[in-house]
């Protein structure tokens, strides 16, 4: 049962335009959401996150929006740059008794073209 | 900067072999995790550890075991390797408590394991 879904396996955007990556989740217990970026042959690196008590978080060119009622979040990249070409993973977490575990989506491959 | 180091980038083993994947972190993190990444399936949690000698099963623990004898080191063991365990394996670490922007999980660069 996929609790975190990224329905678009790939996305192609022109340089300078907005990239919008989407993520849906089913588990109401999730209270923190993160986006990771992954280049080939490297591990994922943390990009930006949002708590469930907020609906928006910005960090430079990156903005994450959360719609709790729809169980949907999105990552906006403006303006998109060629260096943004990577696989983006959405992840969700909640704190259990032992550790905060992440549940990842299947990833969206973003290609930013010149 | 947090450093999570996985001992091998590429590994080729034979069916039935016992395989050890090693991971070391240098930030005194309490939590350590092992994931595998497969095309179309994203990252799936195999096992995690929240303290030395403590471990919990993740979503896909079958065929794997782990060992954490020291805080900085977390080993993944394939008891009897099979071809369906060919995958990219990723180790991660984090501080105790809620994962958030101040303490996200930090990942190593992965080990690409092929079982022939």
């Amino acid at each position: 049962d996929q609790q975190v879904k990224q329905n678009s396996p790939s996305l192609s955007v022109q340089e300078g335009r907005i990239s919008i990556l989407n993520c849906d989740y089913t588990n109401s217990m999730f209270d923190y959401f993160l986006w990771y970026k992954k280049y080939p042959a490297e591990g994922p690196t943390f990009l930006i996150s949002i708590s469930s008590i907020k609906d928006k978080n910005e960090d430079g060119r990156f903005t994450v929006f959360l719609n709790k009622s729809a169980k949907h979040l999105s990552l906006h990249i403006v303006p998109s740059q060629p260096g943004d070409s990577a696989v983006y993973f959405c992840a969700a977490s909640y704190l259990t008794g032992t550790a905060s575990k992440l549940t990842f989506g299947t990833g969206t491959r973003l290609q930013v073209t010149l | 900067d947090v450093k999570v180091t996985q001992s091998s980038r590429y590994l080729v083993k034979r069916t039935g072999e016992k395989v050890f994947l090693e991971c070391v972190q240098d930030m005194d993190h309490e939590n350590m995790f092992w994931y595998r990444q497969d095309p179309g399936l994203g990252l799936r949690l195999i096992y995690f550890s929240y303290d030395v000698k403590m471990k919990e099963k993740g979503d896909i623990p079958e065929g794997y075991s782990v060992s954490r004898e020291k805080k900085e080191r977390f080993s993944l063991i394939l008891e009897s390797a099979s071809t369906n365990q060919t995958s990219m394996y990723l180790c991660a670490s984090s501080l105790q408590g809620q994962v958030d922007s101040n303490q996200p999980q930090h990942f190593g660069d992965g080990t690409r394991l092929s079982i022939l």
Side-chain angles (χ1 to χ4, degrees), chain B residues 15-67:
Chain B
T15 303
E17 277 192 72
K18 191 168 186 176
V19 181
F20 293 85
L21 302 184
E22 306 287 345
C23 175
V24 175
Q25 51 94 4
D26 66 356
M27 283 301 291
D28 205 34
H29 284 171
E30 293 86 4
N31 300 328
M32 295 189 75
F33 307 82
W34 275 106
Y35 295 87
R36 61 179 283 177
Q37 182 195 356
D38 299 290
L41 296 176
L43 279 72
R44 294 178 293 166
L45 181 64
I46 304 171
Y47 264 99
F48 70 99
S49 168
Y50 52 92
D51 202 351
V52 175
K53 296 192 187 295
M54 307 305 286
K55 61 187 179 186
E56 279 196 26
K57 293 180 180 179
D59 300 318
I60 51 164
E62 297 78 19
Y64 303 94
S65 63
V66 290
S67 172

Side-chain angles (χ1 to χ4, degrees), chain A residues 31-32 34 36 38 41-44 46 49 89 93 95 98-102 104-106, chain B residues 9 31 35 37 40-43 45 48 50 56 97-101 104-105 107-109:
Chain A
D31 57 10
Y32 219 90
L34 302 90
Y36 279 81
K38 186 180 185 300
E42 292 183 14
F46 169 71
S49 64
F89 290 100
S93 78
L95 186 61
T98 51
S100 187
K101 297 187 289 182
L102 292 180
F104 284 86
T106 52
Chain B
R9 293 300 300 272
N31 300 328
Y35 295 87
Q37 182 195 356
L41 296 176
L43 279 72
L45 181 64
F48 70 99
Y50 52 92
E56 279 196 26
Q98 173 71 61
V99 170
D100 60 23
S101 57
Q105 283 187 18
F107 284 83
D109 284 338

